[in-house]
């Protein structure tokens, strides 16, 4: 997720709050929890929803909706995002990782009963590219071509081993091309099908759209023509927009069966009774950046000072702020993805080593500003708490950090402009692949925000190029690990933690299927 | 007490204002908080910034007010919060009174174009909701306590200006003022020596009543992240932290009670003072016919 969409997430959080009253009033809605195809289930989520058109959505809630309504060419098994598996098609990737060949599988049908064809696939992907909406960048530089009635190819100019990890994204869900074309759908910016797709779904997913209200709730009914292996657990799913604290009350009162947005402390409070909590690491990575630009701050660009900060942070304590399920990533790549580093001694707490480095750095108590947005929470965790904790820890080794919070709308300019001495931010993945994290290398998007110019570290740039070109899971894993180890030694980023994702379910729910890309598979609620 | 005793022995008499029980309560609470801000919070054994304790401990023997989301002692933070809220609110009210009072006096005394100019600027500020305007200014200047006070000063001077202007207009036609002018005193001497002592009391009452509003406004800005910069203990910011930790009620409740007590105390005192200066309102408040 790039930062552009984050502002929208905040706006929608505000909208979510204002919807409190509405959801409170509608909480009397019936929620029969018998299992079986006629039963219904209520899922509470705090919305950042904008559209139900897969080619336009790139929001967390949008991904939940798109995954329920549309199938994609490839998918992931459960929460394992390290290995793409067959969806509507099976795939082969060429040795140079430039061509992905997809062979459509027979037997999949849309909700109107017509079969899913290769033309639908080509139309859907070209439509995502042509609309130039939020998810269009997923297929940047990719040429979609129909080969025959069962096969299509995706060709990239450069090696693109991340493509199979991108294809399961809900935004690349396959729509019924005849229906969408009949309702204004095109593969260019003139597409007018969004209004139609916000009322009626045209996919082959386990659910159909029954009703859609972008601000309050989305109702799904089972797609009777769905031919996938796993039938939906409930005939009807109501996805409601409810803020975190109210989600807690609703699930405790039995008014909802699944709550998606409880923070760690709230999740802890509902423990006991027959509610179940599933905690795991989220794919969001919260990090510190230390500006490498001498003009911004002469200390944060000093290697000894950087090491002192890196070793002076008590990572265990910070992770404990985020509760059960939170983890410290070994490098910038979250623990869930290919290429993740388990741990790295460079990023470990050692007050003695930190003090020794600090003594060498020539620093003598000058005030160093730590900039962060004070109105942002990541999975219910406030960045402000982390900043205050970091400040207290660095104080004990002798670094005088001054907190400099700003509303995100103001602070983003300083972050994007590379003007922060020390910054505290987070990165949400656009797709579950390590290639999404090359932006942290010298001269790239986030690298530049830390004043890390393209020529700042030729050795790390070389490792980044090597990682980008690597093909095959093992080679990529090794290349990205090397890259992260090098970045942890001399780079400006200190990955602090991945906050926990907590999902609380009622006793009547026996299992849910979570995934970092689409949060929850509504069909997997049993 | 016999009449004789009363006549023969000179007694200490409470100022008229403090003869109201509510005023006594208010004054005691304020004195207590001043004591806390000036002395107790400085010698309190627990560091309000130390993150040494278990997180989110409910109130108990070790931590009377519990601990917050970072493992800081809520009691010591509430006490330390008085060091920011009280002095800054008083400072703000004094500044607003001086600024607004001066402008209002000038407007009222000189009238005409000067009056129109100053009062239209005041109307301009009045046209916006106070907290919204303060938020906009504080957000534009960046979060810090100094900027919050500046923002609040900009929004709070006009009420003083209005009151002062109407008082000065009433007083400037009085015989003693005219007499003073005839004896050769200039405009500012007249304002300072003849008018000011006669119009100051209502302004002071307004200021006393305003301290409570100022504390609320400052807490409001801190609550929104536009006032105190963390980790500075501040009541408004603490309430904001507490809202994030919905069910750890103690994080928000204790600083909230602190705000409540100070605001109430200043209101009691202000009310009593107003009543003692203007017996008609006292009678009205106590249900007697005027």
């Amino acid at each position: 997720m790039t930062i552009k969409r984050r502002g929208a997430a905040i706006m929608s959080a505000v909208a979510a709050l204002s919807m409190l009253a509405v959801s409170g009033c509608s909480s009397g809605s019936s929620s029969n929890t018998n299992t079986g195809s006629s039963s219904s289930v209520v899922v509470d989520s705090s919305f950042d929803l904008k559209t139900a058109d897969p080619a336009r959505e790139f929001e967390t809630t949008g991904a939940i909706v798109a995954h329920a309504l549309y199938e994609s060419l490839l998918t992931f098994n459960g929460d394992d995002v390290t290995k793409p598996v067959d969806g509507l098609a099976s795939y082969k990737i060429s040795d140079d990782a430039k061509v992905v060949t997809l062979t459509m599988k027979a037997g999949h049908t849309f909700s109107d009963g017509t079969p899913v064809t290769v033309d639908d696939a080509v139309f859907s992907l070209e439509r995502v590219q042509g609309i130039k909406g939020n998810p269009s960048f997923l297929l940047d530089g990719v040429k979609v071509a129909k080969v025959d009635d069962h096969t299509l190819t995706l060709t990239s100019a450069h090696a693109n081993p991340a493509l199979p990890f991108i294809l399961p994204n809900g935004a690349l869900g396959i729509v019924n091309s005849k229906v969408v074309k009949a309702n204004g759908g095109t593969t260019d910016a003139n597409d007018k099908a969004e209004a139609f797709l916000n009322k009626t779904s045209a996919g082959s997913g386990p659910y159909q759209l029954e009703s859609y209200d972008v601000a309050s709730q989305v109702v799904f009914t089972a797609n009777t023509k769905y031919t996938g292996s796993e039938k939906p657990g409930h005939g009807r799913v109501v996805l409601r927009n409810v803020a975190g604290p109210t989600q807690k009350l609703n699930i405790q009162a039995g008014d909802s069966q699944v709550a998606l947005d409880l923070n760690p402390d709230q999740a802890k409070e509902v423990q006991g009774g027959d509610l179940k909590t599933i905690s795991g690491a989220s794919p969001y990575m919260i990090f510190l950046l230390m500006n490498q630009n001498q003009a911004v701050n002469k200390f944060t660009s000093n290697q000894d000072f950087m090491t002192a900060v890196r070793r002076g942070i008590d990572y265990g304590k910070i992770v404990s702020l985020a509760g059960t399920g939170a983890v410290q990533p070994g490098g910038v790549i979250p623990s869930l993805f290919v290429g993740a580093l388990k741990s790295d001694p460079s990023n470990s707490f050692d007050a003695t080593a930190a003090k020794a480095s600090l003594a060498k750095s020539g620093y003598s108590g000058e005030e160093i500003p730590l900039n962060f947005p004070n109105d942002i929470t990541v999975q219910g965790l406030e960045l402000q708490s982390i900043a205050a904790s970091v400040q207290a820890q660095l104080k004990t080794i002798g670094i005088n950090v001054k907190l400099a919070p700003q509303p995100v709308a103001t602070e983003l300019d300083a972050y994007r402009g590379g003007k922060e001495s020390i910054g505290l931010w987070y990165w949400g993945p656009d797709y579950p692949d390590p290639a999404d994290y090359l932006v942290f290398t010298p001269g790239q998007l986030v690298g530049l925000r830390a004043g890390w110019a393209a020529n700042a570290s030729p050795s790390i740039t070389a490792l980044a190029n090597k990682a980008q070109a690597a093909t095959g899971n093992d080679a990529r894993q090794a290349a990205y690990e090397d890259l992260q180890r090098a970045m942890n030694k001399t780079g400006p980023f200190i990955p602090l933690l991945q906050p926990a994702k907590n999902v609380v379910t009622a006793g009547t729910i026996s299992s849910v299927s979570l995934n970092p890309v689409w949060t929850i598979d509504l069909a997997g609620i049993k | 007490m016999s009449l004789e005793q009363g006549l023969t022995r000179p007694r200490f008499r409470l100022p008229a204002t403090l003869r109201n029980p509510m005023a006594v309560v208010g004054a005691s609470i304020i004195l207590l908080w001043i004591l806390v801000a000036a002395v107790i919070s400085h010698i309190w054994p627990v560091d309000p910034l130390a993150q040494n304790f278990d997180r989110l401990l409910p109130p108990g023997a070790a931590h009377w007010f519990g601990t917050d989301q970072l493992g800081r002692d809520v009691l010591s933070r509430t006490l330390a919060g008085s060091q920011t809220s009280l002095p800054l609110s008083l400072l703000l009210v004094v500044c607003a009174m001086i600024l607004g009072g001066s402008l209002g006096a000038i407007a009222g005394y000189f009238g005409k174009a000067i009056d129109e100019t100053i009062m239209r600027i005041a109307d301009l500020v009045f046209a916006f909701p106070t907290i919204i305007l303060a938020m906009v200014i504080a957000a534009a200047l960046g979060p810090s306590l100094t900027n919050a006070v500046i923002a609040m000063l900009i929004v709070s001077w006009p009420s003083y200006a209005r009151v002062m202007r109407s008082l000065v207009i009433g007083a400037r036609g009085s015989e003693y003022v005219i007499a003073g002018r005839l004896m050769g005193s200039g405009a500012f001497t007249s304002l300072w020596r003849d008018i000011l002592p006669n119009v100051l009391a209502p302004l002071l009452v307004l200021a006393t009543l305003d301290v409570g509003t100022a504390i609320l406004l400052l807490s409001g800005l801190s609550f929104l992240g536009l006032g105190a910069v963390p980790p500075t203990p501040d009541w408004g910011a603490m309430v904001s932290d507490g809202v994030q930790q919905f069910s750890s009620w103690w994080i928000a409740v204790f600083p909230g009670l602190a705000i409540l007590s100070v605001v109430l105390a200043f209101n009691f005192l202000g009310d009593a003072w107003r009543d003692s200066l203007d017996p008609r309102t006292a009678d009205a408040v106590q249900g007697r016919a005027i």
Side-chain angles (χ1 to χ4, degrees):
Chain A
M1 192 189 293
T2 59
I3 206 75
K4 175 177 73 183
R5 285 177 286 274
R6 217 148 282 147
I10 294 156
M11 291 305 293
S12 61
V14 173
L17 276 175
S18 60
M19 283 312 300
L20 249 170
V22 175
S23 57
C25 298
S26 66
S27 62
S29 62
S30 65
S31 52
N32 172 13
T33 58
N34 300 329
T35 48
S37 60
S38 64
S39 64
S40 78
V41 66
V42 178
V43 179
D44 279 356
S45 160
S46 73
F47 276 21
D48 59 356
L49 194 58
K50 288 202 193 113
T51 172
D53 180 351
R56 287 183 167 87
E57 70 82 16
F58 205 68
E59 295 78 40
T60 310
T61 316
I64 300 174
V65 172
H67 186 72
L69 301 177
Y70 301 93
E71 287 180 290
S72 45
L73 292 170
L74 301 181
T75 186
F76 291 116
N77 238 340
D79 62 354
D80 179 10
V81 292
T82 60
K83 191 168 174 290
V85 298
D86 296 352
L88 290 173
S90 57
Y91 82 104
K92 247 196 270 168
I93 186 163
S94 63
D95 289 341
D96 61 3
K98 285 182 184 169
V99 183
V100 174
T101 309
L102 294 146
T103 310
M104 301 298 289
K105 299 183 135 189
H108 288 277
T109 52
F110 288 113
S111 50
D112 64 358
T114 57
V116 182
T117 66
V118 72
D119 296 312
D120 296 312
V122 172
F123 172 79
S124 302
L125 299 185
E126 285 181 342
R127 183 164 172 266
V128 172
Q129 292 179 312
I131 285 175
K132 300 205 189 311
N134 270 340
S136 297
F137 79 99
L138 291 172
L139 294 179
D140 269 354
V142 174
K143 201 176 166 339
V144 183
K146 176 182 173 180
V147 177
D148 57 37
D149 280 349
H150 302 286
T151 324
L152 68 156
T153 54
L154 305 179
T155 311
S156 314
H158 305 286
N160 192 359
L163 196 51
F165 294 84
I166 294 173
L167 284 172
N169 196 301
L172 305 181
I174 304 306
V175 298
N176 189 334
S177 60
K178 284 184 212 71
V179 174
V180 172
K181 275 180 194 161
N183 289 282
T186 60
T187 56
D188 56 32
N190 297 323
D191 178 90
K192 301 269 189 302
E194 183 180 6
F196 171 75
L197 290 171
N198 280 345
K199 281 199 217 81
T200 321
S201 57
S204 59
Y207 285 103
Q208 284 174 271
L209 206 53
E210 179 184 308
S211 72
Y212 173 87
D213 183 330
V214 71
S216 62
Q217 65 176 22
V218 183
V219 183
F220 304 86
T221 44
N223 170 8
T224 50
K225 305 279 175 14
Y226 178 61
T227 55
S229 53
E230 210 176 352
K231 296 287 175 229
H234 292 271
R236 191 160 180 271
V237 179
V238 181
L239 183 67
R240 296 192 305 195
N241 184 13
V242 179
T246 319
Q247 289 187 21
K248 183 186 152 213
L249 299 178
N250 283 352
I251 190 116
Q252 283 177 318
D255 193 38
S256 66
Q257 282 73 53
V258 181
L260 294 179
D261 301 283
L262 298 195
N263 72 26
D265 293 316
Q266 289 162 345
K268 210 165 156 189
E269 285 153 19
V270 299
Q271 274 171 15
D274 59 353
L275 298 182
K276 282 173 289 195
T277 305
I278 304 154
S279 300
S282 68
Y284 297 96
M285 191 271 297
I286 300 176
F287 61 91
L288 284 181
L289 69 82
M290 285 181 287
N291 208 304
Q292 299 303 289
N293 186 347
Q294 291 265 359
V296 173
N297 193 302
K298 63 177 174 159
F299 292 110
T300 57
S301 51
N302 174 311
Q303 194 60 52
D304 288 317
F305 183 86
M306 282 159 63
T307 310
V309 174
R310 211 176 265 282
R311 304 306 300 271
I313 293 173
D314 186 346
Y315 299 92
K317 200 161 183 181
I318 288 182
V319 170
S320 76
L321 285 182
T324 317
V327 296
Q328 181 201 355
V332 290
I333 299 172
S335 60
L336 313 163
F337 300 168
V338 169
L341 200 54
K342 287 259 175 307
S343 64
D344 186 345
S346 302
N347 292 345
S348 63
F349 177 52
D350 184 341
T352 325
K355 280 178 187 157
S357 295
L358 192 65
K360 277 192 284 179
S361 69
Y363 170 83
S364 53
E366 288 86 348
E367 203 169 68
I368 312 276
L370 164 53
N371 303 86
F372 62 95
N374 59 355
D375 49 359
I376 276 193
T377 61
V378 188
Q379 302 290 319
L381 182 66
E382 280 183 287
L383 288 186
Q384 182 148 313
S385 301
I386 300 171
S389 190
V390 166
Q391 183 199 36
Q393 290 164 13
L394 292 181
K395 196 177 166 197
T396 62
I397 64 158
I399 299 177
N400 178 14
V401 172
K402 179 177 182 275
L403 299 188
Q406 291 270 19
V408 64
T410 317
E411 193 56 41
L412 258 183
D413 284 340
Y415 173 50
R416 288 185 177 150
K419 296 199 175 66
E420 298 179 332
S421 295
I422 301 186
L424 176 70
W425 289 90
Y426 77 104
W427 184 260
D430 299 306
Y431 48 87
D433 187 85
D436 195 37
Y437 289 82
L438 290 169
V439 290
F440 284 89
T441 57
Q444 302 298 313
L445 182 73
V446 187
L448 288 175
R449 290 173 182 175
W452 214 14
N455 55 1
S457 175
S459 62
I460 288 180
T461 304
L463 284 170
N465 291 339
K466 201 178 144 205
Q468 187 167 25
T471 58
N473 264 6
D474 293 343
R476 298 185 81 209
Q477 176 77 33
Y480 279 103
E481 282 187 7
D482 288 346
L483 171 65
Q484 289 175 92
R485 278 196 201 94
M487 285 174 67
N488 287 346
K489 281 210 175 64
T490 58
F493 298 102
I494 305 178
L496 294 176
L497 80 157
Q498 291 165 243
K501 173 78 193 171
N502 297 289
V503 174
V504 176
T505 61
T508 50
I509 304 294
S510 61
S511 72
V512 289
S513 166
L514 306 177
N515 183 286
V517 180
W518 49 77
T519 310
I520 184 166
D521 178 5
L522 295 181
I525 303 173
K526 306 274 169 160
Chain B
M1 188 186 294
S2 74
L3 180 65
E4 198 178 328
Q5 274 177 316
L7 285 173
T8 51
R9 251 192 313 155
R11 292 179 301 152
F12 168 73
R13 283 175 66 87
L14 271 172
T17 311
L18 287 179
R19 269 177 249 152
N20 178 331
M22 282 313 190
V24 177
V25 172
S28 320
I29 296 176
I30 292 166
L31 271 180
L32 189 70
W33 274 118
I34 290 174
L35 193 67
V36 167
V39 184
I40 297 179
S41 59
H42 292 280
I43 56 169
W44 196 255
V46 183
D47 179 1
L49 300 182
Q51 306 177 3
N52 299 338
F53 311 107
D54 285 341
R55 301 174 61 233
L56 304 175
L57 286 179
H63 301 281
W64 294 348
F65 286 6
T67 61
D68 70 2
Q69 75 282 5
L70 288 169
R72 298 176 294 198
D73 184 61
V74 176
L75 173 56
S76 65
R77 286 182 73 72
T78 306
L79 295 180
S82 63
Q83 291 170 19
T84 54
S85 298
L86 284 183
L88 286 181
S89 312
L90 290 172
L91 175 76
L92 171 80
V93 167
V94 170
C95 290
M97 188 170 69
I98 292 173
L99 180 68
S102 311
L103 289 172
I106 292 170
Y109 191 85
F110 293 103
K112 300 199 180 76
I114 297 175
D115 182 22
E116 287 296 322
T117 313
I118 293 176
M119 294 325 288
R120 291 303 81 75
I121 295 173
D123 289 345
L124 201 67
V125 177
F126 269 125
F128 294 96
T130 316
I131 185 78
I132 304 285
L133 188 57
M135 269 172 65
V136 170
I137 298 167
L141 296 173
S144 82
L145 281 169
T146 323
N147 291 344
V149 170
I150 292 172
M152 288 157 58
L153 184 60
I154 294 174
V155 299
S156 50
W157 68 268
S159 56
Y160 295 93
R162 268 199 186 168
V163 171
M164 190 63 162
R165 173 178 172 269
S166 61
L167 291 170
V168 169
I169 288 177
R172 77 177 168 189
S174 312
E175 283 87 352
Y176 60 87
V177 177
I178 296 168
R181 291 302 300 270
L182 287 173
M183 285 167 71
S185 50
F188 286 98
T189 318
S190 173
L191 265 176
W192 182 255
R193 286 183 43 194
D194 295 334
I195 297 180
L196 184 67
N198 290 295
V199 298
L200 194 58
L203 209 64
L204 287 173
V205 172
L206 179 66
T208 315
L209 287 168
D210 237 19
V211 174
T213 320
I215 288 179
L216 285 179
L217 194 57
L218 187 67
S219 303
L221 288 179
S222 292
F223 177 88
L224 295 165
L226 296 169
V229 172
T232 312
D234 177 275
W235 292 337
M238 289 171 76
V239 172
S240 170
D241 287 345
V243 169
Q244 296 294 329
Q245 304 289 337
F246 213 48
S247 47
S248 303
W249 53 269
W250 54 90
I251 301 176
V253 162
F254 291 113
L257 286 176
I259 296 173
L260 176 77
S261 67
V262 176
V263 173
L264 266 185
F266 273 105
N267 281 351
F268 286 159
L269 198 62
D271 276 348
W273 198 357
R274 183 193 57 204
D275 295 348
S276 71
L277 287 173
D278 185 355
R280 280 175 308 170
T281 59
D283 290 344
V285 169
Q286 283 160 29
R288 289 194 292 267
I290 297 169

